[in-house]
């Protein structure tokens, strides 16, 4: 089970009029990547140096909403109504993947690139320049999904939180209340979820969902290079730094 942390220092990283609800961190540079609503019906991709708070708008990516990090290759993927873009954080180069007719709702990388299409909310995998359904999720609508450290799948939709063991194909309902709005895996493979009343974690032993942070209005989550939780709400992005216990 993941260690429990109860007391944190709240560190505001940035304040935005329209905060993002999907976040990713490049662990090599410890930079936060996200897309935010410009207020002009378009999402703008950006990066934020966590330690210096330097904010940079990324050009060449059109209206990207979803985001994922490839930690092994220092690459960030952006997805939206124009498909999927791959941005290399070291070389500052951008490439659009050769996939057509995709409107991306959610992105995640686990060896291969996975995504949820909109408006069908069906899950797919992109590999070898081809797109195919995720077999274990093909019978379900999926708002978001992640893999834990053991390659089990967890996903959320309008009915609740579900889990699928890596060698199984049937989803098990884990919790239907509260309603979970977003999810993320930390650096150790522990699954975190946010609801209107706080942030939860899934125990790997008995698959029990337990609240670990009392904070309201969370839209998106990720973790920095030191496994500190970063979240966004309606007006800012915040990092939680644990208070040492002696």
């Amino acid at each position: 089970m993941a260690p429990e942390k109860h007391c944190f220092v709240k560190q505001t990283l940035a304040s935005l009029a329209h905060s993002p609800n999907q976040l990713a961190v490049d662990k090599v540079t410890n930079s936060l990547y996200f897309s935010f609503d410009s207020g002009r019906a378009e999402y703008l991709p950006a990066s934020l140096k966590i330690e210096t708070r330097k904010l940079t708008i990324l050009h060449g990516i059109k209206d990207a909403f979803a985001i994922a990090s490839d930690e092994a290759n220092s690459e960030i993927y952006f997805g939206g109504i124009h498909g999927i873009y791959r941005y290399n954080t070291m070389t500052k180069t951008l490439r659009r993947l050769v996939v057509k007719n995709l409107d991306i709702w959610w992105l995640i990388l686990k060896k291969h690139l996975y995504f949820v299409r909109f408006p069908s909310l069906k899950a797919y995998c992109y590999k070898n320049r081809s797109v195919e359904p995720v077999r274990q999720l093909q019978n379900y609508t999926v708002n978001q999904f992640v893999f834990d450290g053991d390659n089990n799948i967890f996903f959320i939709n309008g009915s609740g939180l579900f889990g699928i063991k890596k060698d199984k194909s049937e989803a098990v309902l884990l919790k239907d209340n509260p309603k979970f709005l977003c999810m993320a895996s930390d650096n150790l493979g522990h699954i975190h979820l946010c609801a209107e009343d706080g942030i939860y974690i899934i125990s790997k032993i008995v698959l029990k969902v337990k609240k670990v942070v009392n904070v309201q209005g969370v839209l998106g989550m990720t973790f920095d290079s030191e496994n500190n939780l970063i979240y966004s709400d309606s007006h800012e992005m915040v990092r939680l730094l644990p208070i040492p216990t002696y």
Side-chain angles (χ1 to χ4, degrees):
M1 180 184 295
E4 298 180 7
K5 299 175 181 177
H6 298 284
C7 298
F8 301 89
V9 174
K10 178 181 174 182
Q11 184 183 66
T12 299
L13 299 179
S15 297
L16 298 169
H18 303 278
S19 289
N21 57 8
Q22 292 192 33
L23 312 169
V25 169
D26 172 33
K27 304 297 171 54
V28 175
T29 62
N30 207 27
S31 297
L32 177 65
Y33 286 81
F34 56 94
S35 289
F36 65 97
D37 188 343
S38 66
R40 299 177 181 177
E42 182 181 9
Y43 282 88
L44 294 178
S47 67
L48 179 77
K49 289 284 188 180
I50 294 176
E51 303 307 328
T52 65
R53 312 292 199 278
K54 181 182 179 182
L55 179 66
T56 303
I57 303 297
L58 304 179
H59 298 285
I61 301 172
K62 296 180 62 178
D63 206 17
F65 174 80
I67 187 167
S69 174
D70 180 355
E71 298 173 10
N73 297 301
S74 294
E75 293 178 331
I76 303 294
Y77 289 85
F78 293 88
I81 62 175
H82 298 286
I84 302 172
Y85 299 83
R86 181 172 62 197
Y87 176 73
N88 187 291
T89 65
M90 304 302 292
T91 63
K92 312 297 183 185
T93 55
L94 180 68
R95 178 186 175 189
R96 186 176 175 186
L97 301 189
V98 185
V99 289
K100 297 180 179 180
N101 301 319
L102 292 181
D103 189 348
I104 307 299
W105 177 260
W106 173 254
L107 279 172
I108 186 171
L109 197 137
K110 183 77 171 183
K111 187 177 180 180
H112 300 295
L113 184 65
Y114 296 84
F115 61 89
V116 173
R117 294 183 68 172
F118 185 83
S120 67
L121 297 182
K122 293 295 185 178
Y124 295 86
C125 177
Y126 174 83
K127 59 181 178 181
N128 300 324
R129 296 190 176 185
S130 64
V131 173
E132 58 187 52
V134 178
R135 178 185 56 82
Q136 292 169 286
L137 296 172
Q138 62 185 354
N139 296 324
Y140 305 97
T141 58
V142 179
N143 289 350
Q144 297 183 7
F145 74 99
V146 293
F147 296 88
D148 70 4
D150 297 319
N151 287 322
N152 302 308
I153 299 176
F154 295 88
F155 69 92
I156 55 176
N157 60 25
S159 298
L161 166 68
F162 296 83
I164 305 178
K165 291 188 176 181
K166 63 180 179 180
D167 56 348
K168 303 293 183 181
S169 59
E170 183 177 353
V172 175
L173 177 64
L174 301 179
K175 202 168 180 62
D176 59 4
N177 185 51
K179 180 181 179 181
F180 294 111
L181 305 174
C182 71
M183 60 196 319
S185 174
D186 70 10
N187 300 350
L188 301 176
H190 301 122
I191 306 304
H192 292 66
L193 309 111
C194 79
E196 291 182 353
D197 65 340
I199 296 173
Y200 292 73
I201 191 170
I202 301 175
S203 165
K204 300 181 76 171
I205 299 176
V206 295
L207 294 183
K208 181 180 179 181
V209 183
K210 180 179 180 180
K211 186 192 289 188
V212 290
V213 181
N214 285 311
V215 61
Q216 296 183 349
V218 173
L219 299 175
M221 296 184 298
T222 190
F223 294 83
D224 70 7
S225 59
E226 300 298 324
N227 211 30
N228 297 307
L229 190 148
I230 297 173
Y231 71 84
S232 62
D233 59 22
S234 62
H235 60 280
E236 63 183 5
M237 294 183 293
V238 171
R239 179 166 63 167
L240 296 182
L241 299 176
I243 296 176
T245 57
Y246 300 96

